[in-house]
Amino acid sequence: MRKLIKGKRKGKIVGQVRKPRVTWKDNPWILQLLDDPSLSADLNYIADDLVARASGVAWGKGLCVACKGGKFLCGKTRCPLVVRLKSYFRTFPLIRGTDVDGASPPGVFVGRIGYPYVYAGPLVPPVHEDTSLYDLPELWFGKSIDEIVGFRSLLVRGKHRVHVKKFEEAGKIMDRTRELALSVGPVDVELALKNKPRRSFVLDDEVQPFGPSAVIRDLSVSTSRWDHQIEKAYGDTDLKAAEAVTTLYEKDVLVTKIQRAFSVGAFGLKNGRRLVPTRWSITAVDSIISKDMIEKIKAFPEVNEYRVYESHYLDNRFEVLVMPRAWSYEAMEAWYPGTVWNPSGECVVMFSDWEGFDGRTTYADVGGCYYAARLAVGELLVKERRQASVVVLRGAHPGYIMPVGVWQVRENVRNAMRQRPLKYNTLEEALARIASRFQIPLERWVEKSRLLQDALFQRRITEYLKG
Amino acid sequence: MFKVRMADAKFLKDMISAISILIDEATFDLTSDGIKLRAMDPSRVAMVDFEWQKTVFDEYVCGEAMKMCVNISEMMKLLRRTGKDESVELSLDEKTGRLKIAIKGKYTRTFNMPTLEAIEEEVPTPKVTFNVRAKTTTEGLREAIEDASLVSDHVRIEADNEKMVMQATGDIMGATIELKKGSDALLDIEAKEASKATFSLSYLSEIVKAAVATSDIATLEFSTDMPIKLDFKQPKEGKLTFYLAPRIEVE
């Protein structure tokens, strides 16, 4: 049977003309933009410096070519590429030749392309000052997208090819990268690169943006003090990685610092240690910490009322509904037309994922944001020693012109949970408040939400105990 | 003093497994007549009502009445180690508060586990007048619920004097499952009035899947938009009954 089909198709395959490789990676309009003499003079642009690329999410369809950053055809309130270009050309004059000399925040990046052979290396800005802010999202809340892209673009990423399990024997570049990752504050670094660092314009929703990159020729790191708690976990080769993460978190080590050490393989049993791509490590750490918190939360008494916590930042609106029920959690996202993940749509696109009292066993479709928000929600419940059913509703509006990383969700929800909640006696009142904050009708949220449906429609047996 | 023995460990394992689908920490009432448990799941959507007379056991000693609370999933871990033709013996050491579980077969192993602080709260059973009473084979009921689970996460059950119909509507697919009176699945049905109610399939399927190991015949009782009572007939003197609150969609 199989043979028969093969035979039938054979003619077709021969007849097929192989299409030329799609060139969406090259972003023609940026090149055109730069051909404009007034603009390129303004930007002080040198043609060789730039490899303009975009992930093809929004600009694969020719909109960008027609718009050239001026007409906002994609629906966003500003052009994300122009924002990036601007800060990029501010960074570039600072980098002379193939060496970058500066204070690393500290920051490291482990790529995921080619796993298990990945690019790992430090993030080094060409400046000598207190750069600790540059790689510490805990301090970013409230900053504008320009500010964040501004200092992130300064970070030059050095790349070194390493096998994730054999990083211990990978030589001094890897050793120094790890040393750097465990440092408590900014460290002076001399980064010698094989080529002049180049910039790729790539969109990514989970990892905070960073500047140009190049392969490392040599790396030297000045002596630095390590974070005491992290050093202890690093030295303990009998401590499992997940336990290291939760112990450090309980000792008030910042999530970002734990995650940075996690990604360079600083935790775990002696033979289990490995490098973890930055983007995976962020979600892994969020997930491990919040899972541990949930086990505690499940033993606490339920909250007494319905609550709504709110936060709005970077044109992302968060409404967190806390209900007096057994622990369960849902993360919902609504992407308005013109936003990154819904560039050409005409209606709002919604995603949702949830877990019940017993948790979940598969990766949430919503992605890293699910776990980041779960951590922020868990922090409040653990602090209050209360149990609840929580629904996090997120509206991403067109002013959110580019994804800046999962930290935005974590810090935005954390900010919501720091506010004094709006309290209600009934679910209907709480839902009315939430509905008034979005342009989306309540029915659409309910239709998509397992937990809201449960809360509205599922009766409890306790209602029938009295005759 | 509490000490019991059961020649067939599987019997105990299946029952504890059925209880474990709803609750994590179970408080058993131990009296000279037998053991009892009545508890709700953490979401308080479902309830289990369980009872074993002392005659179910091959040996039953219980001095004064007391309560014993154990972590059911931990207990399950130990009981899962029981094999065919093995016997099990439970005994409570009141001084240390530890429960001893001895499994005897080809060899003997004795586990011990801590008991927890018992919850004193007494839970009454739901006060509901049931208009429909249907007798099914547990296996047939399990199959029907599994069918419905394919397309949706909740199911509407409708019944009159002739048949019971399960209707499931999902986002993209739907299912209608009809059980006629006198068929292999539906042994008997009586309806004072035609009734229908909707229930969560995740609860229903967990309950029925677990109960299938302990019982061949199930009796369903329900009324329009009221809780359902699922009673699983036990081979020996005892009972295993679940109550599940309905889902009521307000338009």
Side-chain angles (χ1 to χ4, degrees), chain B residues 75-91:
Chain B
M75 189 172 177
M76 232 6 244
K77 259 188 221 164
L78 307 180
L79 288 176
R80 223 170 262 136
R81 298 290 304 144
T82 57
K84 238 183 160 185
D85 302 323
E86 291 192 307
S87 76
V88 62
E89 202 176 281
L90 302 181
S91 55

Side-chain angles (χ1 to χ4, degrees), chain B residues 171-226:
Chain B
D171 289 337
I172 43 171
M173 295 194 283
T176 307
I177 300 127
E178 198 177 81
L179 287 81
K180 280 221 171 72
K181 188 177 181 175
S183 68
D184 282 347
L186 187 62
L187 306 173
D188 192 19
I189 190 161
E190 286 166 47
K192 274 181 249 165
E193 58 182 72
S195 306
K196 60 183 175 194
T198 305
F199 301 98
S200 153
L201 274 170
S202 53
Y203 276 98
L204 267 186
S205 65
E206 289 267 340
I207 290 171
V208 177
K209 245 189 257 169
V212 120
T214 72
S215 159
D216 296 331
I217 305 287
T219 307
L220 278 63
E221 288 178 272
F222 67 100
S223 297
T224 297
D225 288 345
M226 282 295 191

Side-chain angles (χ1 to χ4, degrees), chain A residues 128-420:
Chain A
H128 283 281
E129 53 190 60
D130 184 1
T131 55
S132 46
L133 171 74
Y134 295 11
D135 203 40
L136 210 53
E138 277 87 347
L139 302 176
W140 296 353
F141 185 82
K143 300 206 178 304
S144 71
I145 221 161
D146 298 65
E147 254 182 288
I148 292 161
V149 173
F151 60 68
R152 289 301 294 182
S153 309
L154 283 174
L155 295 173
V156 178
R157 175 188 167 201
K159 300 194 291 187
H160 183 61
R161 203 56 141 175
V162 190
H163 188 284
V164 291
K165 279 191 191 167
K166 293 175 191 141
F167 64 96
E168 297 278 12
E169 305 97 61
K172 62 180 193 309
I173 293 179
M174 191 57 232
D175 291 346
R176 288 171 189 169
T177 300
R178 189 178 52 235
E179 255 170 57
L180 182 68
L182 305 184
S183 300
V184 71
V187 186
D188 282 331
V189 175
E190 281 172 43
L191 181 62
L193 300 166
K194 281 198 174 134
N195 313 93
K196 183 152 185 172
R198 299 184 122 211
R199 170 70 151 137
S200 305
F201 281 86
V202 179
L203 285 182
D204 194 318
D205 64 325
E206 294 195 0
V207 174
Q208 33 281 47
F210 49 78
S213 65
V215 173
I216 303 172
R217 182 159 45 81
D218 197 15
L219 175 70
S220 68
V221 175
S222 70
T223 47
S224 60
R225 197 161 59 82
W226 281 11
D227 185 295
H228 167 68
Q229 305 281 11
I230 291 180
E231 188 177 355
K232 231 166 100 183
Y234 172 66
D236 189 346
T237 49
D238 293 321
L239 183 66
K240 288 190 168 180
E243 285 169 34
V245 169
T246 52
T247 323
L248 288 171
Y249 178 79
E250 274 161 20
K251 288 180 177 160
D252 293 327
V253 178
L254 292 179
V255 172
T256 304
K257 296 196 169 178
I258 300 174
Q259 170 260 314
R260 195 185 293 139
F262 190 91
S263 76
V264 294
F267 304 144
L269 302 179
K270 194 166 193 300
N271 296 323
R273 294 192 174 190
R274 65 195 65 193
L275 295 179
V276 183
T278 299
R279 138 206 269 278
W280 301 351
S281 73
I282 293 171
T283 296
V285 169
D286 281 338
S287 168
I288 291 168
I289 296 173
S290 51
K291 211 169 157 192
D292 187 56
M293 291 195 289
I294 290 165
E295 285 315 311
K296 291 180 196 145
I297 290 167
K298 279 156 73 169
F300 295 145
E302 291 172 15
V303 294
N304 294 323
E305 66 283 300
Y306 290 91
R307 299 182 192 172
V308 175
Y309 292 86
E310 302 180 329
S311 177
H312 183 249
Y313 170 53
L314 294 180
D315 223 6
N316 274 273
R317 173 164 292 289
F318 279 90
E319 297 284 319
V320 182
L321 173 66
V322 174
M323 299 183 282
R325 292 186 152 236
W327 164 258
S328 53
Y329 166 77
E330 182 164 24
M332 305 189 72
E333 296 182 355
W335 291 82
Y336 285 75
T339 46
V340 184
W341 304 128
N342 187 13
S344 49
E346 278 170 13
C347 51
V348 176
V349 172
M350 294 171 86
F351 305 94
S352 148
D353 227 315
W354 66 282
E355 65 187 62
F357 192 79
D358 296 322
R360 60 180 302 127
T361 50
T362 54
Y363 184 67
D365 291 336
V366 173
C369 302
Y370 179 92
Y371 300 95
R374 194 172 77 178
L375 176 112
V377 162
E379 283 178 332
L380 176 93
L381 293 175
V382 168
K383 195 178 108 210
E384 284 199 15
R385 302 179 65 80
R386 288 288 176 163
Q387 176 165 198
S389 168
V390 182
V391 184
V392 175
L393 299 93
R394 170 190 185 188
H397 299 260
Y400 186 50
I401 56 172
M402 65 175 114
V404 292
V406 160
W407 68 270
Q408 180 271 125
V409 173
R410 193 188 311 117
E411 297 306 321
N412 218 345
V413 178
R414 271 177 166 172
N415 178 60
M417 307 318 271
R418 274 195 296 267
Q419 313 301 317
R420 187 187 282 274

Side-chain angles (χ1 to χ4, degrees), chain A residues 457-461 464, chain B residues 40 44 127 153 245-246 248:
Chain A
F457 307 141
Q458 177 63 57
R459 304 283 121 188
R460 296 199 215 176
I461 207 80
Y464 304 91
Chain B
M40 285 180 281
R44 297 196 290 282
K127 309 267 179 302
D153 52 12
I248 301 176

Side-chain angles (χ1 to χ4, degrees), chain A residues 48-88:
Chain A
D48 288 348
D49 291 349
L50 180 76
V51 183
R53 283 181 184 169
S55 74
V57 175
W59 20 81
K61 298 184 177 127
L63 269 185
C64 294
V65 181
C67 168
K68 299 205 186 75
K71 303 193 184 77
F72 308 120
L73 294 182
C74 62
K76 293 182 191 63
T77 54
R78 289 162 67 211
C79 175
L81 287 185
V82 170
V83 170
R84 285 186 168 197
L85 269 176
K86 264 194 190 150
S87 56
Y88 174 63

